[in-house]
Amino acid sequence: MFKAHLTLAAGLLSVSAAHAADMPTPQTVAVAASAPASAAAAPAMICHRETPTGSTIPIKVCHPADAPGDAAANERIQQQIQHDAAIAQQQRLNH
């Protein structure tokens, strides 16, 4: 019975530690409130919760939002890939 209580306590402790890691500290809240100009200069971030492979504890994952220039660059890359594939297909047909 003692092992079950110990296992339960360890599980609750790890869940609460993971939850506490996602919570902002008073220091970070104060820094964010005191520097609104730097927040406007920072890129927009997209965050979501994700469970890593082999784990049952979700973590917070953030990445910068795509800038408008990224969409144009992605389109050019896609067109280049399609062009290269068409050229390769044509070369196979000619030989």
Side-chain angles (χ1 to χ4, degrees), residues 11 14-15 17-19 22 49-60:
S14 65
V15 170
H19 181 67
D22 290 339
R49 295 190 65 76
E50 184 177 289
T51 304
T53 303
S55 177
T56 58
I57 301 172
I59 60 171
K60 184 177 179 182

Side-chain angles (χ1 to χ4, degrees), residues 37-82:
S38 66
M45 299 296 282
I46 297 174
C47 298
H48 64 278
R49 295 190 65 76
E50 184 177 289
T51 304
T53 303
S55 177
T56 58
I57 301 172
I59 60 171
K60 184 177 179 182
V61 178
C62 297
H63 58 88
D66 288 335
D70 290 343
N74 289 340
E75 182 65 29
R76 284 192 305 275
I77 291 169
Q78 286 291 343
Q79 289 175 352
Q80 185 65 40
I81 290 170
Q82 291 171 354

